[in-house]
Amino acid sequence: MSMVVAEHLHKTFGRFTAVKDASFRIEKGEIVGFLGPNGAGKTTTMKMLTGYLPPTAGTASIAGHDILDEPVESRRHLGYMPENVPLYDDMRVTDYLAYRAQLKGLRGMDMRSQVGYVIDKCGLEPKRKNLISTLSKGYRQRVGLADALLGKPDLLILDEPTNGLDPNQIRQIRELIRALAEEHTVILSTHILSEVEMICNKVIIIDQGEIKAADTPLNLTRGLRAAGRVSIEFKGDLNVVVKELEAFAPVKRVIVEEPQGDGWHRLMVRAEPGTDTREKAAAITAAHGFPTRHIYRHIPSLEDVFVEMTRRD
């Protein structure tokens, strides 16, 4: 059984459509990066999954429980950390988490055990007696994560969990999320694409309310135009090399870049995705006796995928 199944989710606010016919599936144990430009519909989609916003049309299920027909049961299986974590500054960390645990139906020894568990899991032991108002941004995020973990939900939905943190705090929260993913399915919304590349095994890209892609990072980069891009620097007759490269079937375009000086030329060769033209380029320059000092195949990144999927031109 899939952990999350979204079917034709649609959300409008008056005449504005925030999410349009969004369908995707997330399996148990996956760490999913949910990506999109500002205003693309990420947070709206997450709020529909968590029950904070009802969909205008369509539906979704969490751990097999429909978010509309079984709202309470579906929420029991998820923990949600919003982008701006709402905390009570005048409460101590332990008291706040105990209060949140009670709101989630935990009582007595079960409640105390759960609070102790999330404090330990999120590295909050040194701050457990501190007022929340005295905590740094990094520790406030940890409290938000601890809150989401109460009840040991099957699914964690984390909306921009590293927003506003410094590089050291980002690294700490990243490691914490990676550790949590050993026991929970995780949906992670973030603008830090390197973060997604490091910890996610699936990516969903949304733009203008529509799902543009849902696959592994490897599969997404394989089909990208950048996957067939090779650069070459050589010294010799520019026109000869360009002409022979353009005659090679997989090559779509040869771009002449700025001269490198001392008679050196640089070309950018664009070919079919997944095609490696380095061997052909090397053979051409070698056949004519042209010195070659650089041949490089560009490895597309998740950033390339994101730009390709969301650009407006």
Side-chain angles (χ1 to χ4, degrees), residues 97-126:
L97 292 173
Y99 167 67
R100 292 290 297 157
Q102 291 177 55
L103 289 179
K104 296 183 180 185
L106 299 172
R107 298 289 184 273
M109 285 296 297
D110 192 24
M111 181 268 288
R112 289 189 289 274
S113 174
Q114 281 285 306
V115 170
Y117 168 78
V118 299
I119 284 176
D120 178 67
K121 196 75 172 176
C122 296
L124 287 167
E125 184 62 38

Side-chain angles (χ1 to χ4, degrees), residues 35 193 196-197 203 205 217 220-221 300-307:
L35 307 177
L193 300 182
V196 175
E197 286 186 304
V203 175
I205 298 177
L220 289 174
T221 55
S301 66
L302 192 56
E303 180 178 347
D304 294 317
V305 174
F306 183 83
V307 171

Side-chain angles (χ1 to χ4, degrees), residues 49-104:
L49 291 177
T50 59
Y52 281 86
L53 284 176
T56 306
T59 188
S61 63
I62 308 292
H65 300 281
D66 190 284
I67 61 171
L68 297 178
D69 297 336
E70 304 173 89
V72 175
E73 193 60 35
S74 67
R75 290 181 196 180
R76 284 198 179 105
H77 290 270
L78 70 88
Y80 177 48
M81 178 180 168
E83 180 176 357
N84 298 305
V85 182
L87 301 174
Y88 292 121
D89 285 348
D90 58 347
M91 296 183 75
R92 300 187 187 278
V93 171
T94 302
D95 295 336
Y96 172 77
L97 292 173
Y99 167 67
R100 292 290 297 157
Q102 291 177 55
L103 289 179
K104 296 183 180 185

